[in-house]
Amino acid sequence: MAQFFPQIGSVPFQGPQSRDPLAFKHYNRDELVEGKPMREHLRFSIAYWHSFCGGGSDPFGVNTRLMPWQVDDPMQTAANKVAACFEMCQKLGIEFYCFHDNDVAPEGATLAESFANFDRIVPLLREGQQKTGVKLLWGTANCFSNPRFMHGAGTSCNADAFAYAAAKIAKTMEVTHALGGAGYVFWGGREGYKTLLNTDMKRELDHLARLLHMAVEHKHKIGFKGRFFIEPKPKEPTKHQYDSDAAACLAFLQKYDLLEHFDLNIEANHATLAGHSFQHELEVAAINDKLGSVDANRGDVLLGWDTDQFPTDIYDTTLAMLTILKAGGFKGGGLNFDAKVARESFEPIDLFHAHIGAMDSFARGLKIAAAIRADGSLDRFIKQRYASWDTGIGAQIEAGQVTLDQARRYMLDKGEIAPNQSGRVEMLENLINQFIS
Ligand code: XLS
Ligand code: CA
Ligand code: CA
């Protein structure tokens, strides 16, 4: 098999003292944390589109990346990308990958040709999985890049665009099933609007729900047992996207009687675009028992768009892992590096530096979060903060035994509330920093 990263061997774990840029300092795959190997906690995944497809172009310039798998013949390129993906997964010790249909095989002149291209590459993916043990975390259909989806897919004003998207979703779900994928993602790339002047919002949302119901029916029909994940994002490419954040997705799913069929795929950069922290979105998913999977990346505080940078912020990964550990892990998903190397990091080796740093950042976050949990003071503080709910009027209100009238009588008798206690924000921030250092 052709080697696309010949100068790079298997990336070893060397520990925090190592100065080798091509070694892990913290990710030690079999090391037990809370009784479970790191690799099982973290379930790292490579994103096919950023690692093997995107060439580094931006609105001001063309591609910069050297991608030795790219040749003149698009089908040969597609085959090369398969080899590059499994080579990279193996060398990094990454056990999962994710793709859109169009990442894997080029679109043909017709839908039938596109499907035929896809079908020619799927056996190569299966072979790669069998040889390496790498598994498919999730698949998804790209229903946003082609101009036919300019008005959206499930929410398009054009019923044919809806039908085209439905066809792509059916096919990609079948391929995901055939490859043993753990999940299937729905990201509503253009499911939103540019202006309400031309938009029937209610009709669009009804159509989106219909598409998801059709997907659920198809899932049962083909016997796909993986999880369905909805990925929230508030904007970009459209000005407003319906799946704007975790809470909006959950409300939508509930309204349209879809809740039981879907979990959430939380992306860090989408959380910040929505004006939330990464941990906030994880927490909303977790408390609703919907923490399906994570797209691990980061935005840039100085930029207002989806920069999809590799995660390097230990504070962020620590807080994220606190919520993920509390939730008991992912519901079928993992940590997918939906992240791209900087435009100026154009050499193949940069993909390794990027993934090593990201994996180490999450491994550190995992270890720090586990240490914070083992210490227990944070949990004890929160429990104690709500102690007034454990007895007396608090316990009675929680049990639904108090009317507004009874609360009025209670407070009139008492006169004033019990003294408040400090929230100790800075003390708790100091506590987290103590574990990070
Ligand atoms: C784009 C999204 C996309 C989804 C999969 O912003 O992150 O890559 O993860 O379609
Ligand atoms: Ca994503
Ligand atoms: Ca993104």
Side-chain angles (χ1 to χ4, degrees):
M1 206 188 258
Q3 284 227 338
F4 294 102
F5 307 98
Q7 76 281 35
I8 300 164
S10 279
V11 176
F13 168 72
Q14 289 183 353
Q17 305 311 321
S18 168
R19 288 291 169 267
D20 181 350
L22 290 174
F24 293 115
K25 323 296 182 294
H26 296 277
Y27 182 59
N28 186 10
R29 43 188 285 121
D30 293 318
E31 186 180 322
L32 297 183
V33 176
E34 296 194 358
K36 198 159 96 174
M38 276 192 176
R39 63 189 166 81
E40 284 180 29
H41 277 289
L42 298 168
R43 293 169 61 87
F44 290 132
S45 162
I46 280 181
Y48 220 85
W49 53 103
H50 281 312
S51 284
F52 308 110
C53 306
S57 63
D58 67 16
F60 302 93
V62 297
N63 287 343
T64 54
R65 285 182 63 199
L66 298 175
M67 300 200 284
W69 45 89
Q70 255 181 1
V71 292
D72 289 340
D73 171 11
M75 287 307 285
Q76 186 56 50
T77 297
N80 290 348
K81 285 196 280 191
V82 175
C85 173
F86 288 105
E87 184 186 344
M88 196 166 115
C89 283
Q90 252 194 325
K91 289 183 169 174
L92 282 164
I94 288 186
E95 291 173 58
F96 296 95
Y97 71 110
C98 297
F99 62 68
H100 301 84
D101 50 353
N102 299 0
D103 306 332
V104 166
E107 287 200 277
T110 62
L111 182 61
E113 250 184 55
S114 299
F115 286 171
N117 289 349
F118 204 8
D119 286 337
R120 276 171 62 196
I121 301 301
V122 170
L124 304 184
L125 291 170
R126 185 179 293 114
E127 195 190 319
Q129 292 185 188
Q130 278 161 358
K131 279 197 180 142
T132 61
V134 171
K135 296 182 277 295
L136 180 61
L137 189 67
W138 49 259
T140 188
N142 179 329
C143 299
F144 45 88
S145 293
N146 191 289
R148 72 175 66 87
F149 298 121
M150 64 173 71
H151 299 294
T155 62
S156 177
C157 48
N158 182 339
D160 277 356
F162 179 109
Y164 205 105
K168 276 169 75 77
I169 290 168
K171 177 71 182 171
T172 310
M173 201 192 303
E174 285 156 20
V175 166
T176 301
H177 178 41
L179 291 172
Y184 184 92
V185 160
F186 295 83
W187 171 59
R190 292 182 195 274
E191 312 294 28
Y193 61 82
K194 171 83 176 164
T195 170
L196 284 174
L197 294 176
N198 66 11
T199 301
D200 184 336
M201 189 194 275
K202 176 166 189 321
R203 211 164 179 191
E204 292 201 358
L205 284 164
D206 288 350
H207 293 168
L208 186 55
R210 184 90 291 279
L211 182 64
L212 297 183
H213 272 292
M214 288 159 70
V216 170
E217 279 158 26
H218 197 70
K219 179 184 180 190
H220 292 142
K221 185 177 154 208
I222 66 174
F224 176 52
K225 296 280 183 282
R227 312 288 305 184
F228 272 181
F229 304 129
I230 296 243
E231 182 178 326
K233 183 176 183 180
K235 56 189 164 193
E236 198 199 1
T238 54
K239 185 170 87 171
H240 177 90
Q241 286 175 201
Y242 297 130
D243 296 337
S244 51
D245 64 5
C249 287
L250 293 173
F252 170 85
L253 291 170
Q254 199 159 19
K255 173 177 174 188
Y256 288 100
D257 203 18
L258 285 158
L259 196 57
E260 65 181 293
H261 305 291
F262 289 84
D263 296 305
L264 299 177
N265 180 34
I266 300 297
E267 178 173 319
N269 203 166
H270 297 181
T272 50
L273 278 179
H276 303 306
S277 67
F278 181 26
Q279 194 192 13
H280 168 92
E281 286 292 84
L282 293 170
E283 194 79 17
V284 171
I287 63 169
N288 289 287
D289 195 24
K290 291 288 172 191
L291 182 49
S293 199
V294 167
D295 272 5
N297 60 14
R298 97 189 124 102
D300 186 312
V301 282
L302 302 181
L303 302 173
W305 63 91
D306 194 18
T307 54
D308 282 350
Q309 291 160 252
F310 278 86
T312 53
D313 185 329
I314 309 299
Y315 206 93
D316 249 15
T317 59
T318 299
L319 297 182
M321 289 314 303
L322 271 176
T323 294
I324 293 168
L325 286 176
K326 189 173 65 180
F330 311 109
K331 295 183 74 187
L335 284 167
N336 172 46
F337 292 119
D338 190 353
K340 59 186 171 202
V341 288
R343 188 165 185 267
E344 54 268 52
S345 301
F346 64 93
E347 293 182 352
I349 197 173
D350 289 308
L351 277 178
F352 280 76
H353 293 309
H355 283 91
I356 291 169
M359 292 162 78
D360 265 348
S361 298
F362 269 97
R364 255 180 104 178
L366 168 64
K367 287 190 287 187
I368 296 165
I372 292 170
R373 281 158 57 83
D375 168 75
S377 0
L378 191 61
D379 275 351
R380 276 194 298 279
F381 182 87
I382 296 173
K383 181 138 193 14
Q384 197 279 327
R385 188 166 182 241
Y386 293 89
S388 68
W389 292 93
D390 295 337
T391 54
I393 187 83
Q396 287 163 8
I397 295 172
E398 275 195 355
Q401 294 161 350
V402 179
T403 63
L404 277 185
D405 265 337
Q406 286 167 329
R408 173 164 52 191
R409 230 171 297 136
Y410 167 83
M411 226 42 255
L412 282 170
D413 283 350
K414 190 160 186 187
E416 191 44 271
I417 71 164
N420 269 316
Q421 293 170 17
S422 168
R424 298 266 185 264
V425 176
E426 294 76 9
M427 181 191 83
L428 296 173
E429 287 170 344
N430 296 349
L431 176 81
I432 300 291
N433 275 0
Q434 208 178 331
F435 283 93
I436 287 180
S437 56

